[in-house]
Amino acid sequence: MSAPTAPKFIGAPIRRKEDPRLITGRATYTDDIMLPRMVHVALARSPEAHARIASIDTSAAAAMPGVVEVYSGADLKDVIAPLPCVHSIEDLKEPSHPAVAFEEVRYAGDAVAVVVAESAVQAQDAAREVVVEYEPLPVVVDVVAATAEGSDLVHADIGTNIAFTAVTDVGDVDSAFAGARVVIEERFVNQRQIPIAIEPRAVVADFDAGYDKLTVWSSTQVPHFVRLLLAAVCGHPETKIRVVAPEVGGGFGSKLNFYAEEAIVAYLAKALRRPVKWNGGRTEDILATTHGRDQVCDLSIAADDNGKLLAVRATLYQDLGAYHQLLTPVIPGLTVGMLPGCYTLEHLQVTLHGVFTNKTPTDAYRGAGRPEATFMIERAMDLIARATGKDPVEVRRLNFPAADAFPFTTATGMEYDSGNYQASLDKLLEMVDYDRLRAEQETRRAAGELFGVGLSTYVEICGIGPSAAMTAGGWEACELEVRRTGGIVVKTGISPHGQGQETTFAQIVADGLGVTPDDVEVLHGDTDTCEQGIGTFGSRGQAVGGAALSRCVETIQNKARRIAAHLLEASEDDIVFEAGKLFPRGVPAKAMDFQQIIDAAYVASQLPPEIEPGLSATHFFEPSNFTFPFGAHLAVVAVDKDTGVVTIERYVAVDDCGRVINPMIVEGQLHGGIAQGIAQALYEEAVYDDNGQLLTGSLMDYAVPKATAIPEFELARTETLTPVNPLGAKGVGEAGTIASSAAVINAVVDALSPFDVAHLNMPASPQKVWRAMQGGG
Amino acid sequence: MTRIKMTRIRMSVNGVEHTHEVEARTLLVHFLRETLGLTGAHVGCETSICGACTVLIGGRAVKSCTRLAVQADGAEITTIEGLASDDELHPLQQSFWDDHGLQCGFCTPGTILAAHDLLTRNADPDDAEIRHALEGNLCRCTGYQNIVKAVRSAAASMREAGGTT
């Protein structure tokens, strides 16, 4: 190996390669695909949250103009297998999840019939004419009440609403509580959220009978999973399925799934021998795309007089919704795993219940289980501070593991790869001038203002993940082709949808091969182009996908060096590959251009027999562990005394995501992530009534924050590399969301301390804050 | 079967005259996307909240998902596809690129056009004015900060170039 040269592109804020098509309207999202002879699908959906389908009459719909075919659930149950869930939970109750309901509907929005017509509006018109006679059944809405003996049941056939109970019991929790001077009990609610990627889900499929080839375009984060599961559910050979994730307009976990509509549209394309499109629009997207969060947790915290955390005991209820989607029951396990946060904790006991209700299924949503954990443990730190009369900073410092304690194994068995929690907190406190901030608080409080400062020192789990810990594989695949012309093509198994890996991957290659990012084409999101892959979720794009690419770059470098050594009659170990030139160490005058090596690799006439022609590499990268990014966030809020309106005056964050390939993109990820956490803290909540009707079923009712609702962010970083992958990158997609809800709520509660408010669940809406000020909690 | 009544409409889109027969209920955004093939206007909600469908009608930002195609009869429409001239990006497109004002890009065409409307009315908006003007354009990726920055820098470069483009 030659000595590494300073990177030219890695670490630079390079403009994104993907942007020109996006800013000119030339990008192709799924709904932009229009094929000749294409027909359109509309789904009739249940208005009832729980009912038996007494009868269904599709004849009026079938007679509507332009209608090609109408299917009820019964028509499809034998040709589309129930939707799968991927998990490794012992004794999990797994009720059948038909793509289209045929006996019983279990949430408002459950599909009951499929209409195919020549145009989308004809299909929608006809779907309204499907006549379904529903016999209402008791509706299960409250996740805690659903666990009681004798509760009404979502799935009568399984005899309980509790899909699984998992107990984690580490140390001696009872003794720790018995000896503790400080014991705090609180109910924490992580409200249900609707992910709202601005592009609603859409699916297009086409079947080529000549090749028996099924092509499916879907707005998904995981085209390879969709291919695998389409094969399983529709019975078409996987090698004859191509899944394309074209331009995807945001996902945030909600498109990390396998949905009924993907199976339905694929089946119909094959059955009808015509291209088929479904686009649910916002209304269906809100009802029939997975929701996130939705946990209730009764948490007890034991601490000593100094604020040292001694033990945690919790009963955690995860609202699963009506069915398991792809990863539904897996998500709350991440909450349990990360409940210790960035603190040393020896004694922990958590009983986790996964519970069915008559609501839209929950599943991954940005952070997926970790924001919930952070909210609880970071609130717990402030509650301990309140009980012991200490500053929240002091309590956190007391409980951090030492910077030299890494790798650090937590009570829940996580091995934190690397970290320095003191450093990020120190940097944050310096940025905000913490002492002055607290002094300002005193002044403003004295003047009658409600002014709060909230901290969140977080750690999260990402770079998902080692295959040993994943039910369906956690590696990532990459191919790197250096073509005869000098064109360089990356084919990656990740499927970015806004994260910018066309750019960051090009930066990695550019430094490795001495070219520029413009010379590198990055292909993704097409299972025929990138044959193997896992996808983009769990902040794994860079840490796992980028690591696979790094391996490919290394393989190409080594082969180029071997060829150069042969041509230059030098020893391979002596060949330096630097800035696109290869030369024997100390003899730059003899340098060959990389292009000359490429020519030699493909002309091949001068290659010795032991070197194969061509210049390409394929690698699967298997991470040895997850990665654990961390940081410290601080929110400064003012609360209006008369209205309860919270205004974030300042938001400052120090994050550590390991090696940064493109700081501009990392900042962008943090901005968006923090905004989504603020949205949970202050604005968003999916509200169901007692009948299981979603009251926040449109963007007029569900409060996605507007530009005026989000503050400016002040960001800084520390950089602690991970040993888990060759890049040292940890991942940053979810960090902002995981950290920010807790910081904001801690600030709001701090602002309300003149009213002796100990805790406030989210969202801290004006009404809720105002009530807390009136002593109504 | 009832015969659907069609209405003839004429409009100029990105400087090109179009005449078509449309159903009275056809939304402008569907007409632009499906009849004219201008898929840069996106449909992100059905309630006029998200703004992904924003186009310019006579220079003013309009949500094309809640306007009928027949209402646009005789109108002069600019979509994102018509904003760049001779392959030269509009200053707003350039600044969104330079300032990382987009991630997934789905809201971007509408947001750029809403910002265009703002800058024709106010050549030097402050951050609060920019945020206020973009209240009708939801972005789930960026947290808005770089969008605000991009609009600010586009405004500066447009002022420097002397007036609006």
Side-chain angles (χ1 to χ4, degrees):
Chain A
M1 285 289 289
S2 55
T5 48
K8 195 168 158 192
F9 297 106
I10 290 177
I14 289 170
R15 290 189 309 186
R16 298 201 317 171
K17 287 167 66 74
E18 37 279 84
D19 286 0
R21 65 178 185 267
L22 296 167
I23 53 179
T24 53
R26 290 172 187 151
T28 303
Y29 297 86
T30 301
D31 194 42
D32 300 338
I33 295 167
M34 297 175 198
L35 302 173
R37 298 181 62 249
M38 188 160 79
V39 289
H40 298 261
V41 164
L43 299 181
R45 294 185 183 276
S46 170
E48 299 285 339
H50 196 193
R52 200 178 74 79
I53 300 173
S55 71
I56 179 161
D57 181 357
T58 58
S59 57
M64 291 285 287
V67 172
V68 175
E69 201 70 69
V70 184
Y71 303 84
S72 69
D75 298 331
L76 296 172
K77 71 182 169 64
D78 295 328
V79 289
I80 301 174
L83 303 179
C85 168
V86 176
H87 69 90
S88 54
I89 298 168
E90 262 180 66
D91 300 326
L92 178 71
K93 304 275 191 304
E94 289 189 84
S96 178
H97 183 187
V100 180
F102 56 90
E103 282 169 340
E104 204 170 304
V105 290
R106 292 190 173 85
Y107 68 94
D110 219 351
V112 292
V114 178
V115 177
V116 186
E118 297 293 341
S119 78
V121 286
Q122 286 172 330
Q124 287 153 13
D125 286 349
R128 282 183 205 108
E129 301 302 321
V130 173
V131 180
V132 185
E133 203 185 335
Y134 294 103
E135 281 174 8
L137 294 167
V139 178
V140 178
V141 175
D142 185 300
V143 68
V144 178
T147 62
E149 278 294 317
S151 165
D152 294 321
L153 297 175
V154 178
H155 298 274
D157 52 333
I158 61 173
T160 173
N161 290 320
I162 301 177
F164 70 100
T165 295
V167 178
T168 307
D169 195 351
V170 184
D172 185 351
V173 171
D174 290 344
S175 304
F177 268 91
R181 299 290 291 273
V182 176
V183 172
I184 301 158
E185 293 179 353
E186 194 60 70
R187 171 165 283 193
F188 292 88
V189 180
N190 267 279
Q191 81 275 29
R192 178 177 280 246
Q193 285 187 274
I194 307 177
I196 313 278
I198 303 295
E199 180 208 19
R201 283 191 302 113
V203 187
V204 173
D206 192 18
F207 181 65
D208 182 335
Y211 287 93
D212 195 30
K213 184 82 184 246
L214 186 56
T215 301
V216 178
W217 293 264
S218 183
S219 177
T220 182
Q221 301 171 224
V222 285
H224 297 86
F225 268 114
V226 172
R227 177 179 63 179
L228 173 74
L229 299 173
L230 274 175
V233 165
C234 295
H236 198 75
E238 196 194 1
T239 50
K240 297 281 193 184
I241 300 175
R242 173 189 176 206
V243 176
V244 183
E247 213 72 65
V248 173
F252 316 111
S254 72
K255 294 172 182 175
L256 157 57
N257 224 305
F258 178 70
Y259 283 105
E261 296 84 3
E262 288 166 324
I264 293 166
V265 169
Y267 165 76
L268 292 174
K270 194 175 161 186
L272 300 172
R273 295 288 200 270
R274 291 181 72 175
V276 180
K277 180 191 279 188
W278 169 80
N279 177 6
R282 181 57 56 197
T283 303
E284 285 187 71
D285 203 68
I286 285 177
L287 287 172
T289 294
T290 53
H291 295 176
R293 315 281 187 263
D294 211 351
Q295 291 181 355
V296 174
C297 187
D298 291 321
L299 191 79
S300 306
I301 309 142
D304 71 13
D305 279 345
N306 289 322
K308 177 88 183 92
L309 177 67
L310 299 175
V312 168
R313 185 191 280 135
T315 305
L316 175 58
Y317 303 88
Q318 170 69 51
D319 190 331
L320 303 167
Y323 300 101
H324 297 308
Q325 275 282 351
L326 187 63
L327 300 167
T328 301
V330 176
I331 304 301
L334 287 164
T335 308
V336 176
M338 294 309 292
L339 198 51
C342 51
Y343 308 108
T344 50
L345 171 67
E346 279 176 49
H347 311 285
L348 169 139
Q349 189 184 68
V350 185
T351 303
L352 161 64
H353 301 293
V355 185
F356 291 119
T357 60
N358 290 114
K359 300 179 205 162
T360 297
T362 54
D363 206 316
Y365 168 56
R366 201 169 194 168
R370 295 97 96 200
E372 295 91 320
T374 307
F375 177 63
M376 291 191 275
I377 194 68
E378 287 307 300
R379 283 268 53 237
M381 283 295 135
D382 274 27
L383 286 165
I384 293 171
R386 183 172 184 268
T388 56
K390 309 232 172 207
D391 189 281
V393 168
E394 206 182 324
V395 173
R396 283 172 170 79
R397 278 199 213 283
L398 182 69
N399 288 289
F400 282 158
D404 62 4
F406 294 88
F408 173 81
T409 303
T410 70
T412 52
M414 301 286 178
E415 190 187 295
Y416 291 176
D417 54 344
S418 61
N420 186 343
Y421 306 148
Q422 290 82 357
S424 51
L425 178 59
D426 287 346
K427 190 162 187 168
L428 177 79
L429 298 177
E430 192 188 311
M431 280 172 79
V432 299
D433 194 347
Y434 188 72
D435 293 339
R436 218 184 65 188
L437 195 58
R438 287 293 182 193
E440 182 189 346
Q441 179 172 40
E442 273 190 35
T443 312
R444 289 177 64 171
R445 267 191 189 156
E449 284 184 58
L450 299 178
F451 179 83
V453 176
L455 270 173
S456 170
T457 49
Y458 75 99
V459 58
E460 63 130 333
I461 178 170
C462 69
I464 290 174
S467 295
M470 308 279 291
T471 312
W475 44 265
E476 197 47 83
C478 190
E479 292 174 48
L480 178 57
E481 295 175 6
V482 180
R483 295 189 177 163
R484 214 175 172 131
T485 53
I488 299 174
V489 179
V490 176
K491 298 173 177 178
T492 172
I494 64 161
S495 196
H497 40 282
Q499 295 88 345
Q501 268 98 5
E502 288 175 40
T503 307
T504 50
F505 279 21
Q507 290 175 256
I508 291 169
V509 174
D511 273 344
L513 301 182
V515 295
T516 72
D518 286 342
D519 299 324
V520 184
E521 195 78 22
V522 179
L523 304 178
H524 58 79
D526 183 337
T527 61
D528 269 12
T529 307
C530 324
E531 167 57 27
Q532 294 298 327
I534 300 286
T536 290
F537 56 90
S539 306
R540 68 193 303 279
Q542 211 61 249
V544 193
L549 172 61
S550 289
R551 288 275 162 82
C552 292
V553 169
E554 206 180 301
T555 298
I556 297 284
Q557 286 172 334
N558 289 340
K559 184 162 182 184
R561 227 179 258 122
R562 279 179 77 197
I563 295 171
H566 175 74
L567 298 176
L568 292 168
E569 295 177 340
S571 149
E572 193 184 322
D573 292 341
D574 277 346
I575 298 291
V576 178
F577 187 171
E578 207 176 85
K581 306 262 186 213
L582 294 98
F583 53 90
R585 192 178 312 280
V587 200
K590 284 184 75 176
M592 296 182 75
D593 286 334
F594 185 41
Q595 184 62 49
Q596 289 176 282
I597 304 297
I598 299 169
D599 292 342
Y602 284 97
V603 173
S605 56
Q606 296 179 66
L607 292 184
E610 67 273 15
I611 300 181
E612 263 183 40
L615 198 53
S616 65
T618 301
H619 281 285
F620 283 60
F621 178 75
E622 173 63 53
S624 57
N625 186 6
F626 299 97
T627 58
F628 295 86
F630 60 92
H633 287 213
L634 184 140
V636 178
V637 306
V639 175
D640 186 303
K641 250 185 185 157
D642 299 322
T643 63
V645 169
V646 175
T647 305
I648 300 177
E649 292 195 352
R650 234 182 133 184
Y651 197 98
V652 189
V654 177
D655 294 278
D656 193 321
C657 59
R659 169 99 64 228
V660 166
I661 311 297
N662 185 324
M664 183 184 77
I665 287 175
V666 163
E667 283 188 10
Q669 289 293 309
L670 285 164
H671 290 165
I674 295 168
Q676 284 187 23
I678 290 173
Q680 179 175 12
L682 296 182
Y683 308 117
E684 294 179 13
E685 181 172 23
V687 180
Y688 282 85
D689 71 9
D690 292 343
N691 298 315
Q693 294 296 322
L694 180 62
L695 302 180
T696 52
S698 82
L699 292 183
M700 299 174 78
D701 310 294
Y702 186 78
V704 172
K706 301 171 177 185
T708 43
I710 297 294
E712 284 271 325
F713 310 113
E714 302 163 52
L715 304 184
R717 281 188 284 109
T718 55
E719 193 166 295
T720 308
L721 303 188
T722 176
V724 171
N725 63 61
L727 282 171
K730 290 194 170 192
V732 72
E734 295 160 289
T737 307
I738 289 165
S740 62
S741 306
V744 172
I745 292 296
N746 280 341
V748 173
V749 173
D750 186 44
L752 296 178
S753 59
F755 298 91
D756 201 30
V757 174
H759 178 65
L760 203 60
N761 278 313
M762 303 181 286
S765 60
Q767 184 188 41
K768 203 181 279 177
V769 171
W770 187 84
R771 278 197 181 144
M773 287 191 280
Q774 316 309 312
Chain B
M1 202 188 294
T2 46
R3 223 184 139 67
I4 294 163
K5 188 170 174 277
M6 302 294 274
T7 305
R8 177 177 295 254
I9 56 168
R10 282 186 57 183
M11 63 178 80
S12 158
V13 182
N14 301 330
V16 180
E17 292 292 327
H18 293 274
T19 306
H20 281 276
E21 302 269 321
V22 297
E23 269 189 68
R25 68 167 172 176
T26 299
L27 296 173
L28 178 59
V29 69
H30 290 144
F31 174 76
L32 293 171
R33 289 175 52 81
E34 287 156 26
T35 306
L36 302 188
L38 296 168
T39 55
H42 300 141
V43 184
C45 66
E46 293 111 21
T47 47
S48 224
I49 299 290
C50 86
C53 64
T54 303
V55 299
L56 298 178
I57 300 186
R60 297 306 304 269
V62 168
K63 289 177 176 175
S64 62
C65 80
T66 36
R67 180 151 309 202
L68 298 167
V70 292
Q71 288 176 290
D73 186 28
E76 240 178 67
I77 295 178
T78 305
T79 70
I80 192 70
E81 290 91 342
L83 203 58
S85 56
D86 300 332
D87 281 336
E88 194 182 321
L89 294 175
H90 184 277
L92 273 162
Q93 291 170 313
Q94 187 67 48
S95 65
F96 269 67
W97 189 11
D98 294 344
D99 293 330
H100 192 30
L102 62 145
Q103 290 178 29
C104 83
F106 195 78
C107 74
T108 309
T111 306
I112 286 177
L113 292 170
H116 190 282
D117 179 330
L118 168 69
L119 297 187
T120 53
R121 289 180 285 114
N122 179 353
D124 190 10
D126 63 24
D127 284 7
E129 288 169 325
I130 294 169
R131 286 180 185 267
H132 180 69
L134 296 180
E135 272 201 323
N137 296 81
L138 296 182
C139 172
R140 199 58 156 161
C141 295
T142 64
Y144 300 107
Q145 185 154 327
N146 286 344
I147 289 177
V148 174
K149 185 178 171 192
V151 175
R152 213 166 47 213
S153 51
S157 63
M158 285 163 73
R159 286 196 307 275
E160 217 165 277
T164 55
T165 0

